[in-house]
Amino acid sequence: LEAELKEATEEITQNWVSRLNQLATDEIAPRRTDVNIRLVALAWLPSWRVVYQDGDFSQSITLPAYALPEEAE
């Protein structure tokens, strides 16, 4: 299994290396008429930063200030 995994990994790596060698870069300069700003917004998620001692080390963790809604399935 390890030999098969190594062979498959090398095949995938060679595939991506060959594709990376085929990449081309074209620079396109934007014009002012091409820019259209429709919305500027600021989002903020309140949170608590808790700092505590873990033996000789100081640890910190960031916790949400309130329960986040669960995603619908």
Side-chain angles (χ1 to χ4, degrees), residues 5-6 8-10 12 17 22-24 28-29 44 49 52 56-57 59-60 72-73:
L5 177 63
K6 186 175 182 178
T9 303
E10 287 178 10
I12 292 169
V17 166
Q22 297 172 1
L23 286 180
I28 301 172
W44 175 62
R49 182 168 183 233
Y52 61 95
D56 294 336
F57 301 101
Q59 300 285 333
S60 68
E73 293 181 14

Side-chain angles (χ1 to χ4, degrees), residues 38-58:
R38 295 182 183 195
L39 173 69
V40 176
L42 173 66
W44 175 62
L45 178 64
S47 60
W48 293 99
R49 182 168 183 233
V50 179
V51 179
Y52 61 95
Q53 287 296 120
D54 185 12
D56 294 336
F57 301 101
S58 178

